[in-house]
Amino acid sequence: MGRRRARRPRPYDRASRIAMGMITIVVCVLFAVLLFHEIGLKQRIRHNDEIREELTEQIQEEEKRKESILSQKEYMETDEYIKEVARNSLGLVGEDDIILKRREP
């Protein structure tokens, strides 16, 4: 039996190993960058969720305020409100009101 000859590394084997190593490094760097950006995006999502909750609460408060203003507007269009303003601001009296005067001594 003959001796086995030691296999010499071929130049393309060495180059392919280097290329695979470079590709692995590039993939790892890209993975790290994507992971870093994911963390930043999650923080921004949490922050935007908080802002959305605050704005939703403000919208609900403004809806309540709008309802209050609309009910006040309806009341201000009634005869009862007009009479109230006439009595309080202008000192006018209605037909059914009894007027009391002070006697002067």
Side-chain angles (χ1 to χ4, degrees):
M1 278 195 124
R3 265 175 139 190
R4 266 189 155 178
R5 288 170 63 191
R7 185 173 164 201
R8 285 181 28 201
R10 296 184 184 152
Y12 63 88
D13 286 341
R14 185 181 214 184
S16 65
R17 283 187 201 155
I18 292 173
M20 289 301 287
M22 295 293 273
I23 291 171
T24 303
I25 290 171
V26 169
V27 168
C28 288
V29 168
L30 287 175
F31 181 74
V33 168
L34 290 174
L35 186 63
F36 178 74
H37 282 293
E38 179 188 11
I39 292 170
L41 288 174
K42 284 183 179 181
Q43 289 175 348
R44 284 182 25 193
I45 288 171
R46 267 184 269 142
H47 178 69
N48 288 342
D49 285 343
E50 291 172 4
I51 290 173
R52 185 183 314 130
E53 288 175 13
E54 290 175 10
L55 291 175
T56 302
E57 290 175 8
Q58 288 179 4
I59 288 171
Q60 290 172 351
E61 290 173 8
E62 290 301 319
E63 287 292 329
K64 289 178 185 176
R65 185 169 172 248
K66 175 185 164 187
E67 291 174 12
S68 172
I69 290 171
L70 288 176
S71 66
Q72 183 178 5
K73 177 187 173 204
E74 289 176 11
Y75 172 68
M76 291 175 83
E77 292 173 349
T78 62
D79 290 337
E80 182 182 326
Y81 174 76
I82 294 170
K83 288 178 185 178
E84 182 182 332
V85 170
R87 282 190 183 120
N88 295 336
S89 300
L90 304 175
L92 299 178
V93 293
E95 295 174 1
D96 299 335
D97 291 342
I98 300 174
I99 301 171
L100 300 175
K101 291 184 179 180
R102 272 207 258 172
R103 287 189 180 180
E104 293 185 32

